[in-house]
Amino acid sequence: MRIHSSNHPWLLLAILVVLLCFPGALSSKDEEKATSKNTKKEVTYDGTSLIINGKRELLYSGSIHYPRSTPDMWPKIIKRAKQGGLNTIQTYVFWNFHELEQGKFNFSGRADLVKFIKLIEKNGMYVTLRLGPFIQAEWTHGGLPYWLREIPGIFFRTDNKPFKEHTERYVRVILDMMKEEKLFAPQGGPIILGQIENEYSAVQRAYKNDGSNYIKWASKLVHSMNLGIPWVMCKQNDAPDPMINACNGRHCGDTFPGPNREHKPSLWTENWTTQFRVYGDPPVQRSVEDIAFSVARFFSKNGSHVNYYMVDKNTYHGGTNFGRTSAHYVTTRYYDDAPLDEYGLEKEPKYGHLKHLHNALNLCKKALLWGQSRTEKPGKDTEIRYYEQPGTKVCAAFLANNNTESAEIIKFRGKDYVIPPRSISILPDCKTVVYSTGEIVSHHTARNFMKSKKANKKFDFKVFTETVPQELKGDSYVPVELYGLAKDESDYGWYTTNFKIDDSDLKKKGGKPTVRVASLGHALHAWLNGEYLGNGHGSHDEKSFVFQKPIALKEGDNHLTMLGVLTGFPDSGSYLEHRFTGPRSVSISGLSSGPMDLTEKSKWGNKVGMEGEKLDIHTEKGLKKVKWEKFSGKAPGLTWYQTYFDAPESLSPAAIRMNGMGKGLIWVNGEGVGRYWMSFLSPLGKSTQIEYHIPRSFLKPKKNLLVIFEEEPNVNPELIDFVIVNRDTVCSYIGEDYTPSVRHWARKNDNVQAITDDVQLTANLKCSGTKKISAVEFASFGNPTGSCGNFTRGSCHAPVTKQVVEKYCLGKAECVIPINKSTFQEDKKDSCPKVVKTLAVQVKCGRPKKN
């Protein structure tokens, strides 16, 4: 029906009132007020970004995995993530952590997913929920429960009826629980985005059409539940509509082909901030300058969401693989080089430099979300990307220099800008540089492990040694596959066999007979007639290995015993349910009659686990079930060690250093600290991980029970010690030509304005908590070199530097040092005027001593 305005002025007035009340018609300020009052949030998307309650958003997210820290750590970690400029937390859901036994779900303690999400909500942050069913995550079996392997006819992650049935049941349990707790955004909760499956394209071709059908089925499953949030599939360029395909990687600004439909936004679900560690690895790091460059580039190319993950993956907080939860060969410490380290402490400058990046991007928010993009290429290695909103002053520019060796000058709108090597400068008003990805003005920290005075009193170790079996029951004619034998109930599986040797077999000249065991992984110990032969192991990259040793046989019956050792289940690849490990062939060479193949010519007996595991002797109650003896200074392998210790002083994080030990498992007060492997050395000749995190919630003030199961003989537990962890070494390393901190700037209306009276370059040093700067350990204004904890003075140095820094900083919790020549020059003399100066400072933080 057509309505004439002259006849119905009252109707036009009513329509105008409705339009003014509609969120899309509000000014940005009014829109924010309306949004804050409305707890229920509609979540949609367009080709620019996610749209939450009618507002486009830039999302800065970090991965925090709830099982990898303890509930008492969650509030502080989440709070620090928010203070670091994040507005979203991403987490996987760990199926095998919740349903270890089929049909029995656990959502208590570290598995309390609802509590974790509500804490995020309490901090005013959003949540991305990554359901799996497969998550990889360097988590054992990629998050899939072991019992799935034993379902008849099952094939994982494909168009397979048993797998889909169990996956759907699990998915519905989790999503129904979230819905019941009103945790989805349309219900007023924090969950704005979901993910089903994980990097499926890496295995999809192995399943051919069944792989494509499975992806379509998974998409239909979550969308059929009508939860009111968008869903993503990462590294899945053929994600079926309305699923959003997202990028994982280090440089998605260059590697991501983009959304597979124009109406979908560019989302980055995993920005790998570092490399996860496996035993035998040397230290690896990814520079924060590279991370910041990659994020700035992604947002300059229409990106609107980044999540910092752990590499092959990258988290914002790494955490700890407690107990036996790590995937094969992965260390107990997880993504320790993330912005928040294993202990939840801020790793600087990674934490601060990314926080400054988020601040700079927020100054560009209106231009990025509403502006029109343009690109210029002024030189071979330079690029300008800028966004303008026609008819307004809204403009933001990203000036990029891809030259890794030298700075480049970029002329933009009549002004020359010097862009440092391999960096992007951000101009939120297309005029003022407020941030450079290549110039770090946030402070640095070095982590310290301080030996505890309270916990390291003389330990009174007692020991219990496992009996090595010589003949176990069993009728297998080949060694049983180790995953299937252990069933994720233990890391250990026993194998025994007997064989006869004739006197004539021992008469061959030219050396002793040799036993040869070919194993598919992960490690192995062997005994012959009760005598320990030694051990062997594979690695993360080459799981298979051969154990080979000369042996002393005897005429008649001989008994061979092997202990197969797991370091976790695999977490990647196709046909995961058909992955095998453990000893596969056993033979003896050097006999007069020729090689003897024991693999299929002898019956094999089997047993799972250690006697101590079955009796729970890592607990106070279980201790009494075996006879312990005083440690005499030497013990064979497969020995349990127990002692008591008092909790380390202070409230700082605590850890145990496993010096003197070989390989095994650690418990404190019955809680699984994790696997350790000191004897697997990196190419640098050092253990990959020495310190093992003991959460404060595991500890009592006094008489804490420490139990260690050690696989190897002749270790020295008396070298073990307990340490307190801090980042009380605080540094700064800033060039005098750097861009002042972005904290000086704010956007008011459509203008970027200074919010401080004097925009100048400064070094800011800050102690954590209630600590204050107690000493200046290094200070040089000139051309110093090195890094935090290891600075060296150069040929150019201002002699008064330390005196100046002490004046500004000693006795303060936080200090600000102006960086300019006048601050550090005596009598205005510059002994090296041609040198572009750098200020390097290292201070020590501590609590004031009580009188």
Side-chain angles (χ1 to χ4, degrees), residues 18 42 51 56 71 93 133 155 172 185 200-201 321 408 411 420 437 484 546 559 572 607 617 643 737 747 765 796 816:
V18 171
E42 180 188 25
I51 301 171
R56 288 177 176 166
V93 182
F155 287 87
R172 290 190 180 279
Y200 189 73
S201 62
N321 292 314
E408 296 279 354
K411 193 177 191 67
T437 63
V546 174
H559 303 275
S572 62
K607 188 176 77 168
I617 67 173
T643 191
D737 56 348
R747 180 174 285 281
L765 302 170
C796 176
V816 180

PDB file of all heavy atoms in Angstrom, residues 18 42 51 56 71 93 133 155 172 185 200-201 321 408 411 420 437 484 546 559 572 607 617 643 737 747 765 796 816:
ATOM      1  N   VAL A  18      11.107   5.526  15.079  1.00  0.00           N
ATOM      2  CA  VAL A  18      11.583   4.144  15.020  1.00  0.00           C
ATOM      3  C   VAL A  18      12.992   4.082  14.442  1.00  0.00           C
ATOM      4  O   VAL A  18      13.877   3.390  14.943  1.00  0.00           O
ATOM      5  CB  VAL A  18      10.617   3.264  14.187  1.00  0.00           C
ATOM      6  CG1 VAL A  18      11.229   1.897  13.936  1.00  0.00           C
ATOM      7  CG2 VAL A  18       9.288   3.117  14.913  1.00  0.00           C
ATOM      8  N   GLU A  42      23.459  -9.947  19.007  1.00  0.00           N
ATOM      9  CA  GLU A  42      23.363 -10.623  17.719  1.00  0.00           C
ATOM     10  C   GLU A  42      24.735 -10.597  17.066  1.00  0.00           C
ATOM     11  O   GLU A  42      25.421  -9.586  17.079  1.00  0.00           O
ATOM     12  CB  GLU A  42      22.349  -9.916  16.817  1.00  0.00           C
ATOM     13  CG  GLU A  42      22.217 -10.587  15.456  1.00  0.00           C
ATOM     14  CD  GLU A  42      21.356  -9.787  14.496  1.00  0.00           C
ATOM     15  OE1 GLU A  42      21.262  -8.553  14.680  1.00  0.00           O
ATOM     16  OE2 GLU A  42      20.808 -10.385  13.561  1.00  0.00           O
ATOM     17  N   ILE A  51      30.136  -8.679  12.993  1.00  0.00           N
ATOM     18  CA  ILE A  51      29.264  -7.582  13.418  1.00  0.00           C
ATOM     19  C   ILE A  51      28.567  -8.042  14.691  1.00  0.00           C
ATOM     20  O   ILE A  51      27.786  -8.994  14.675  1.00  0.00           O
ATOM     21  CB  ILE A  51      28.235  -7.229  12.329  1.00  0.00           C
ATOM     22  CG1 ILE A  51      28.963  -6.812  11.043  1.00  0.00           C
ATOM     23  CG2 ILE A  51      27.303  -6.121  12.802  1.00  0.00           C
ATOM     24  CD1 ILE A  51      28.051  -6.654   9.842  1.00  0.00           C
ATOM     25  N   ARG A  56      30.503  -3.291  13.726  1.00  0.00           N
ATOM     26  CA  ARG A  56      31.693  -3.975  13.240  1.00  0.00           C
ATOM     27  C   ARG A  56      32.775  -3.920  14.317  1.00  0.00           C
ATOM     28  O   ARG A  56      32.885  -2.937  15.048  1.00  0.00           O
ATOM     29  CB  ARG A  56      32.190  -3.319  11.953  1.00  0.00           C
ATOM     30  CG  ARG A  56      31.316  -3.594  10.746  1.00  0.00           C
ATOM     31  CD  ARG A  56      31.840  -2.852   9.533  1.00  0.00           C
ATOM     32  NE  ARG A  56      31.063  -3.166   8.337  1.00  0.00           N
ATOM     33  CZ  ARG A  56      31.115  -2.490   7.206  1.00  0.00           C
ATOM     34  NH1 ARG A  56      31.931  -1.446   7.116  1.00  0.00           N
ATOM     35  NH2 ARG A  56      30.394  -2.839   6.171  1.00  0.00           N
ATOM     36  N   PRO A  71      42.817 -23.702  37.814  1.00  0.00           N
ATOM     37  CA  PRO A  71      41.748 -22.708  38.004  1.00  0.00           C
ATOM     38  C   PRO A  71      42.170 -21.488  38.811  1.00  0.00           C
ATOM     39  O   PRO A  71      41.685 -20.384  38.547  1.00  0.00           O
ATOM     40  CB  PRO A  71      40.660 -23.510  38.734  1.00  0.00           C
ATOM     41  CG  PRO A  71      40.848 -24.912  38.238  1.00  0.00           C
ATOM     42  CD  PRO A  71      42.338 -25.077  38.103  1.00  0.00           C
ATOM     43  N   VAL A  93      38.312 -27.132  22.942  1.00  0.00           N
ATOM     44  CA  VAL A  93      37.655 -28.017  23.898  1.00  0.00           C
ATOM     45  C   VAL A  93      38.327 -29.379  23.737  1.00  0.00           C
ATOM     46  O   VAL A  93      38.423 -29.903  22.626  1.00  0.00           O
ATOM     47  CB  VAL A  93      36.140 -28.106  23.658  1.00  0.00           C
ATOM     48  CG1 VAL A  93      35.494 -29.006  24.704  1.00  0.00           C
ATOM     49  CG2 VAL A  93      35.515 -26.717  23.687  1.00  0.00           C
ATOM     50  N   PRO A 133      36.118 -32.077  16.590  1.00  0.00           N
ATOM     51  CA  PRO A 133      36.504 -33.056  17.615  1.00  0.00           C
ATOM     52  C   PRO A 133      38.011 -33.263  17.699  1.00  0.00           C
ATOM     53  O   PRO A 133      38.550 -33.581  18.753  1.00  0.00           O
ATOM     54  CB  PRO A 133      35.802 -34.336  17.168  1.00  0.00           C
ATOM     55  CG  PRO A 133      35.670 -34.175  15.686  1.00  0.00           C
ATOM     56  CD  PRO A 133      35.413 -32.723  15.456  1.00  0.00           C
ATOM     57  N   PHE A 155      36.717 -45.141  11.487  1.00  0.00           N
ATOM     58  CA  PHE A 155      37.794 -44.391  10.866  1.00  0.00           C
ATOM     59  C   PHE A 155      37.603 -42.935  11.293  1.00  0.00           C
ATOM     60  O   PHE A 155      36.508 -42.384  11.145  1.00  0.00           O
ATOM     61  CB  PHE A 155      37.758 -44.489   9.341  1.00  0.00           C
ATOM     62  CG  PHE A 155      38.189 -45.826   8.807  1.00  0.00           C
ATOM     63  CD1 PHE A 155      37.262 -46.854   8.667  1.00  0.00           C
ATOM     64  CD2 PHE A 155      39.505 -46.067   8.457  1.00  0.00           C
ATOM     65  CE1 PHE A 155      37.644 -48.094   8.186  1.00  0.00           C
ATOM     66  CE2 PHE A 155      39.900 -47.307   7.971  1.00  0.00           C
ATOM     67  CZ  PHE A 155      38.970 -48.325   7.834  1.00  0.00           C
ATOM     68  N   ARG A 172      27.129 -32.224  20.784  1.00  0.00           N
ATOM     69  CA  ARG A 172      25.860 -31.802  21.389  1.00  0.00           C
ATOM     70  C   ARG A 172      25.981 -31.669  22.908  1.00  0.00           C
ATOM     71  O   ARG A 172      25.367 -30.772  23.508  1.00  0.00           O
ATOM     72  CB  ARG A 172      24.743 -32.775  21.004  1.00  0.00           C
ATOM     73  CG  ARG A 172      24.352 -32.670  19.525  1.00  0.00           C
ATOM     74  CD  ARG A 172      23.094 -33.441  19.199  1.00  0.00           C
ATOM     75  NE  ARG A 172      22.761 -33.322  17.785  1.00  0.00           N
ATOM     76  CZ  ARG A 172      22.123 -32.286  17.239  1.00  0.00           C
ATOM     77  NH1 ARG A 172      21.734 -31.268  18.015  1.00  0.00           N
ATOM     78  NH2 ARG A 172      21.858 -32.259  15.942  1.00  0.00           N
ATOM     79  N   ALA A 185      26.546 -15.547  22.672  1.00  0.00           N
ATOM     80  CA  ALA A 185      26.307 -14.111  22.610  1.00  0.00           C
ATOM     81  C   ALA A 185      24.821 -13.746  22.471  1.00  0.00           C
ATOM     82  O   ALA A 185      24.356 -12.821  23.150  1.00  0.00           O
ATOM     83  CB  ALA A 185      27.115 -13.495  21.465  1.00  0.00           C
ATOM     84  N   TYR A 200      41.657 -29.261   8.515  1.00  0.00           N
ATOM     85  CA  TYR A 200      41.297 -30.526   7.874  1.00  0.00           C
ATOM     86  C   TYR A 200      41.899 -30.674   6.476  1.00  0.00           C
ATOM     87  O   TYR A 200      42.141 -31.781   6.007  1.00  0.00           O
ATOM     88  CB  TYR A 200      39.770 -30.663   7.802  1.00  0.00           C
ATOM     89  CG  TYR A 200      39.330 -32.037   7.353  1.00  0.00           C
ATOM     90  CD1 TYR A 200      39.432 -33.123   8.214  1.00  0.00           C
ATOM     91  CD2 TYR A 200      38.842 -32.255   6.073  1.00  0.00           C
ATOM     92  CE1 TYR A 200      39.046 -34.399   7.810  1.00  0.00           C
ATOM     93  CE2 TYR A 200      38.452 -33.525   5.657  1.00  0.00           C
ATOM     94  CZ  TYR A 200      38.560 -34.591   6.536  1.00  0.00           C
ATOM     95  OH  TYR A 200      38.190 -35.847   6.135  1.00  0.00           O
ATOM     96  N   SER A 201      42.176 -29.554   5.829  1.00  0.00           N
ATOM     97  CA  SER A 201      42.704 -29.641   4.466  1.00  0.00           C
ATOM     98  C   SER A 201      44.031 -30.395   4.417  1.00  0.00           C
ATOM     99  O   SER A 201      44.410 -30.933   3.372  1.00  0.00           O
ATOM    100  CB  SER A 201      42.892 -28.238   3.880  1.00  0.00           C
ATOM    101  OG  SER A 201      43.837 -27.497   4.636  1.00  0.00           O
ATOM    102  N   ASN A 321      51.799 -29.064  30.039  1.00  0.00           N
ATOM    103  CA  ASN A 321      51.163 -30.345  29.734  1.00  0.00           C
ATOM    104  C   ASN A 321      51.289 -31.242  30.963  1.00  0.00           C
ATOM    105  O   ASN A 321      52.198 -32.064  31.068  1.00  0.00           O
ATOM    106  CB  ASN A 321      51.838 -30.997  28.526  1.00  0.00           C
ATOM    107  CG  ASN A 321      51.582 -30.237  27.240  1.00  0.00           C
ATOM    108  OD1 ASN A 321      50.459 -29.845  26.947  1.00  0.00           O
ATOM    109  ND2 ASN A 321      52.633 -30.015  26.466  1.00  0.00           N
ATOM    110  N   GLU A 408      64.120   2.606   4.460  1.00  0.00           N
ATOM    111  CA  GLU A 408      63.701   3.206   3.198  1.00  0.00           C
ATOM    112  C   GLU A 408      62.909   4.474   3.502  1.00  0.00           C
ATOM    113  O   GLU A 408      62.212   4.565   4.522  1.00  0.00           O
ATOM    114  CB  GLU A 408      62.822   2.233   2.406  1.00  0.00           C
ATOM    115  CG  GLU A 408      63.521   0.963   1.960  1.00  0.00           C
ATOM    116  CD  GLU A 408      64.355   1.150   0.706  1.00  0.00           C
ATOM    117  OE1 GLU A 408      64.294   2.264   0.118  1.00  0.00           O
ATOM    118  OE2 GLU A 408      65.059   0.203   0.319  1.00  0.00           O
ATOM    119  N   LYS A 411      57.673   8.655   0.533  1.00  0.00           N
ATOM    120  CA  LYS A 411      57.017   9.965   0.438  1.00  0.00           C
ATOM    121  C   LYS A 411      55.515   9.727   0.362  1.00  0.00           C
ATOM    122  O   LYS A 411      55.027   9.036  -0.528  1.00  0.00           O
ATOM    123  CB  LYS A 411      57.504  10.718  -0.795  1.00  0.00           C
ATOM    124  CG  LYS A 411      57.113  12.194  -0.812  1.00  0.00           C
ATOM    125  CD  LYS A 411      57.704  12.884  -2.027  1.00  0.00           C
ATOM    126  CE  LYS A 411      57.552  14.395  -1.941  1.00  0.00           C
ATOM    127  NZ  LYS A 411      58.347  14.997  -0.861  1.00  0.00           N
ATOM    128  N   PRO A 420      61.985   1.910   9.105  1.00  0.00           N
ATOM    129  CA  PRO A 420      63.079   0.990   9.444  1.00  0.00           C
ATOM    130  C   PRO A 420      63.019  -0.301   8.620  1.00  0.00           C
ATOM    131  O   PRO A 420      61.983  -0.616   8.009  1.00  0.00           O
ATOM    132  CB  PRO A 420      62.856   0.702  10.931  1.00  0.00           C
ATOM    133  CG  PRO A 420      62.048   1.868  11.423  1.00  0.00           C
ATOM    134  CD  PRO A 420      61.173   2.257  10.270  1.00  0.00           C
ATOM    135  N   THR A 437      56.431  -1.296  13.767  1.00  0.00           N
ATOM    136  CA  THR A 437      56.581  -2.707  14.154  1.00  0.00           C
ATOM    137  C   THR A 437      58.035  -3.061  14.431  1.00  0.00           C
ATOM    138  O   THR A 437      58.318  -4.017  15.162  1.00  0.00           O
ATOM    139  CB  THR A 437      56.044  -3.634  13.053  1.00  0.00           C
ATOM    140  OG1 THR A 437      56.821  -3.460  11.852  1.00  0.00           O
ATOM    141  CG2 THR A 437      54.581  -3.350  12.752  1.00  0.00           C
ATOM    142  N   GLY A 484      47.847 -49.999  21.512  1.00  0.00           N
ATOM    143  CA  GLY A 484      46.728 -50.873  21.849  1.00  0.00           C
ATOM    144  C   GLY A 484      46.940 -51.624  23.146  1.00  0.00           C
ATOM    145  O   GLY A 484      45.978 -51.955  23.850  1.00  0.00           O
ATOM    146  N   VAL A 546      66.480 -48.315  16.028  1.00  0.00           N
ATOM    147  CA  VAL A 546      66.967 -49.681  16.220  1.00  0.00           C
ATOM    148  C   VAL A 546      67.823 -49.715  17.475  1.00  0.00           C
ATOM    149  O   VAL A 546      68.773 -48.928  17.617  1.00  0.00           O
ATOM    150  CB  VAL A 546      67.791 -50.162  15.009  1.00  0.00           C
ATOM    151  CG1 VAL A 546      68.415 -51.521  15.301  1.00  0.00           C
ATOM    152  CG2 VAL A 546      66.905 -50.241  13.767  1.00  0.00           C
ATOM    153  N   HIS A 559      66.037 -65.585  28.728  1.00  0.00           N
ATOM    154  CA  HIS A 559      64.837 -64.767  28.917  1.00  0.00           C
ATOM    155  C   HIS A 559      65.128 -63.342  28.461  1.00  0.00           C
ATOM    156  O   HIS A 559      66.013 -62.676  29.005  1.00  0.00           O
ATOM    157  CB  HIS A 559      64.412 -64.747  30.386  1.00  0.00           C
ATOM    158  CG  HIS A 559      64.172 -66.102  30.960  1.00  0.00           C
ATOM    159  ND1 HIS A 559      62.977 -66.763  30.836  1.00  0.00           N
ATOM    160  CD2 HIS A 559      65.000 -66.938  31.643  1.00  0.00           C
ATOM    161  CE1 HIS A 559      63.057 -67.945  31.431  1.00  0.00           C
ATOM    162  NE2 HIS A 559      64.280 -68.071  31.919  1.00  0.00           N
ATOM    163  N   SER A 572      48.633 -35.715  14.890  1.00  0.00           N
ATOM    164  CA  SER A 572      48.407 -35.148  13.558  1.00  0.00           C
ATOM    165  C   SER A 572      48.452 -36.244  12.511  1.00  0.00           C
ATOM    166  O   SER A 572      48.939 -37.351  12.760  1.00  0.00           O
ATOM    167  CB  SER A 572      49.479 -34.083  13.245  1.00  0.00           C
ATOM    168  OG  SER A 572      50.761 -34.668  13.230  1.00  0.00           O
ATOM    169  N   LYS A 607      52.326 -57.199  29.611  1.00  0.00           N
ATOM    170  CA  LYS A 607      51.706 -56.597  30.789  1.00  0.00           C
ATOM    171  C   LYS A 607      51.763 -55.082  30.648  1.00  0.00           C
ATOM    172  O   LYS A 607      52.726 -54.543  30.108  1.00  0.00           O
ATOM    173  CB  LYS A 607      52.437 -57.026  32.066  1.00  0.00           C
ATOM    174  CG  LYS A 607      51.717 -56.595  33.352  1.00  0.00           C
ATOM    175  CD  LYS A 607      52.417 -57.131  34.598  1.00  0.00           C
ATOM    176  CE  LYS A 607      53.669 -56.338  34.914  1.00  0.00           C
ATOM    177  NZ  LYS A 607      54.202 -56.636  36.260  1.00  0.00           N
ATOM    178  N   ILE A 617      51.175 -45.425  44.225  1.00  0.00           N
ATOM    179  CA  ILE A 617      52.141 -45.086  45.269  1.00  0.00           C
ATOM    180  C   ILE A 617      52.655 -43.655  45.144  1.00  0.00           C
ATOM    181  O   ILE A 617      53.490 -43.223  45.933  1.00  0.00           O
ATOM    182  CB  ILE A 617      53.320 -46.079  45.307  1.00  0.00           C
ATOM    183  CG1 ILE A 617      54.188 -45.988  44.041  1.00  0.00           C
ATOM    184  CG2 ILE A 617      52.814 -47.499  45.507  1.00  0.00           C
ATOM    185  CD1 ILE A 617      55.451 -46.832  44.147  1.00  0.00           C
ATOM    186  N   THR A 643      60.131 -38.187  48.723  1.00  0.00           N
ATOM    187  CA  THR A 643      60.610 -37.374  49.829  1.00  0.00           C
ATOM    188  C   THR A 643      59.576 -36.301  50.120  1.00  0.00           C
ATOM    189  O   THR A 643      58.558 -36.187  49.405  1.00  0.00           O
ATOM    190  CB  THR A 643      61.981 -36.744  49.500  1.00  0.00           C
ATOM    191  OG1 THR A 643      62.530 -36.175  50.693  1.00  0.00           O
ATOM    192  CG2 THR A 643      61.866 -35.663  48.439  1.00  0.00           C
ATOM    193  N   ASP A 737      66.309   7.604  17.800  1.00  0.00           N
ATOM    194  CA  ASP A 737      65.513   7.970  16.630  1.00  0.00           C
ATOM    195  C   ASP A 737      64.214   7.167  16.532  1.00  0.00           C
ATOM    196  O   ASP A 737      63.528   7.216  15.518  1.00  0.00           O
ATOM    197  CB  ASP A 737      66.338   7.774  15.353  1.00  0.00           C
ATOM    198  CG  ASP A 737      66.877   6.348  15.209  1.00  0.00           C
ATOM    199  OD1 ASP A 737      66.814   5.570  16.195  1.00  0.00           O
ATOM    200  OD2 ASP A 737      67.357   6.009  14.106  1.00  0.00           O
ATOM    201  N   ARG A 747      42.211   9.026  19.833  1.00  0.00           N
ATOM    202  CA  ARG A 747      41.331   9.579  18.801  1.00  0.00           C
ATOM    203  C   ARG A 747      40.164  10.299  19.463  1.00  0.00           C
ATOM    204  O   ARG A 747      39.465   9.727  20.309  1.00  0.00           O
ATOM    205  CB  ARG A 747      40.806   8.464  17.892  1.00  0.00           C
ATOM    206  CG  ARG A 747      39.879   8.981  16.787  1.00  0.00           C
ATOM    207  CD  ARG A 747      39.491   7.901  15.808  1.00  0.00           C
ATOM    208  NE  ARG A 747      40.579   7.578  14.918  1.00  0.00           N
ATOM    209  CZ  ARG A 747      40.927   8.286  13.851  1.00  0.00           C
ATOM    210  NH1 ARG A 747      40.275   9.418  13.566  1.00  0.00           N
ATOM    211  NH2 ARG A 747      41.917   7.916  13.084  1.00  0.00           N
ATOM    212  N   LEU A 765      60.343   1.765  32.645  1.00  0.00           N
ATOM    213  CA  LEU A 765      60.687   0.538  33.354  1.00  0.00           C
ATOM    214  C   LEU A 765      59.690   0.330  34.485  1.00  0.00           C
ATOM    215  O   LEU A 765      59.377   1.275  35.224  1.00  0.00           O
ATOM    216  CB  LEU A 765      62.110   0.622  33.921  1.00  0.00           C
ATOM    217  CG  LEU A 765      63.226   0.869  32.899  1.00  0.00           C
ATOM    218  CD1 LEU A 765      64.533   1.165  33.602  1.00  0.00           C
ATOM    219  CD2 LEU A 765      63.372  -0.327  31.978  1.00  0.00           C
ATOM    220  N   CYS A 796      81.077   3.768  22.096  1.00  0.00           N
ATOM    221  CA  CYS A 796      80.489   5.071  22.418  1.00  0.00           C
ATOM    222  C   CYS A 796      79.669   4.924  23.697  1.00  0.00           C
ATOM    223  O   CYS A 796      78.778   4.058  23.769  1.00  0.00           O
ATOM    224  CB  CYS A 796      79.626   5.558  21.257  1.00  0.00           C
ATOM    225  SG  CYS A 796      78.745   7.108  21.567  1.00  0.00           S
ATOM    226  N   VAL A 816      60.345   6.683  34.396  1.00  0.00           N
ATOM    227  CA  VAL A 816      60.344   7.160  33.012  1.00  0.00           C
ATOM    228  C   VAL A 816      61.624   7.949  32.779  1.00  0.00           C
ATOM    229  O   VAL A 816      61.893   8.926  33.486  1.00  0.00           O
ATOM    230  CB  VAL A 816      59.108   8.039  32.731  1.00  0.00           C
ATOM    231  CG1 VAL A 816      59.129   8.535  31.290  1.00  0.00           C
ATOM    232  CG2 VAL A 816      57.824   7.271  33.016  1.00  0.00           C
TER     233      VAL A 816
END
